Amino acid sequence: MSNSAAFPDWHGTTILAVRKNGKTVVAGDGQVSMGQTVVKGTAKKVRRLAGGRVIAGFAGSTADAFTLIERLEAKLEQYPEQLARACVDLAKDWRTDRYLRRLEAMLIVANSESIFTVTGVGDVLEPEHGVAAIGSGGNFALAAARALAEVDGLDAEQVARKAMAIAAEICVYTNGELTVEVL
């Protein structure tokens, strides 16, 4: 039996990272859904790591994401102040390790200088426009943030909050209960 057949269809995450004018923000909504039912509206899917210098947000299976975040923390201890190297090393392990490759989650990882999307197929992607998003409402939040990032007078946190509000209005798997972390 495949993993997707053994477990219920859990949805409901939007994670957005915005970097603008030297400020980095990661925001995540709080909704977790099973099928057509909202089972929790206040989940915390954004965490600070490495003594508060790194922020990670996750989409997908919570247990799988926590496993990956623990592994990322170990990589950050191994490569302090080298976020890109820690992310690449995690992605390499994720892709090649027999246990890890079964994990169903995605991460957005950011520090004050960089944002990376890390996937289980070995991708470590740095966005071209200082905006990255994952999860069910990720594309809605990404499009809104890309447009809002060009508006003068809005800082990174304002862009993230407005883009997440737009995603919550469009995506039924996204709510307005936000966790926002700023560097």
Side-chain angles (χ1 to χ4, degrees):
M1 181 181 275
S2 75
N3 239 10
S4 60
F7 296 100
D9 193 16
W10 292 84
H11 288 286
T13 300
T14 301
I15 304 294
L16 173 67
V18 177
R19 180 155 170 62
K20 182 177 179 184
N21 298 331
K23 191 175 182 184
T24 303
V25 176
V26 179
D29 79 312
Q31 183 167 308
V32 177
S33 303
M34 185 172 62
Q36 297 178 348
T37 305
V38 175
V39 293
K40 185 170 184 172
T42 58
K44 304 286 187 217
K45 299 175 247 178
V46 175
R47 306 262 189 271
R48 283 188 174 267
L49 311 173
R53 296 181 318 274
V54 173
I55 304 170
F58 64 86
S61 166
T62 303
D64 291 356
F66 283 151
T67 299
L68 293 168
I69 286 173
E70 287 174 7
R71 296 283 181 120
L72 177 60
E73 283 185 296
K75 297 294 182 187
L76 291 167
E77 287 176 17
Q78 187 177 358
Y79 305 114
E81 307 302 323
Q82 297 180 58
L83 182 60
R85 184 169 183 184
C87 288
V88 167
D89 227 40
L90 174 66
K92 184 179 89 175
D93 289 354
W94 192 354
R95 183 167 168 79
T96 59
D97 183 275
R98 186 176 255 171
Y99 167 72
L100 290 179
R101 95 178 114 199
R102 295 181 181 268
L103 299 182
E104 296 180 3
M106 288 181 73
L107 300 175
I108 284 186
V109 182
N111 64 12
S112 59
E113 294 88 35
S114 304
I115 298 170
F116 297 101
T117 301
V118 185
T119 74
V121 294
D123 294 323
V124 178
L125 304 169
E126 188 169 16
E128 291 180 332
H129 304 284
V131 178
I134 57 174
S136 304
N139 286 336
F140 303 114
L142 179 67
R146 290 264 317 264
L148 290 166
E150 297 192 16
V151 175
D152 290 333
L154 292 181
D155 66 17
E157 184 173 356
Q158 292 168 317
V159 169
R161 287 183 181 278
K162 288 178 183 292
M164 290 295 288
I166 290 168
E169 289 176 6
I170 298 169
C171 178
V172 297
Y173 296 114
T174 302
N175 72 10
E177 185 72 32
L178 300 181
T179 301
V180 179
E181 295 288 344
V182 181
L183 291 172

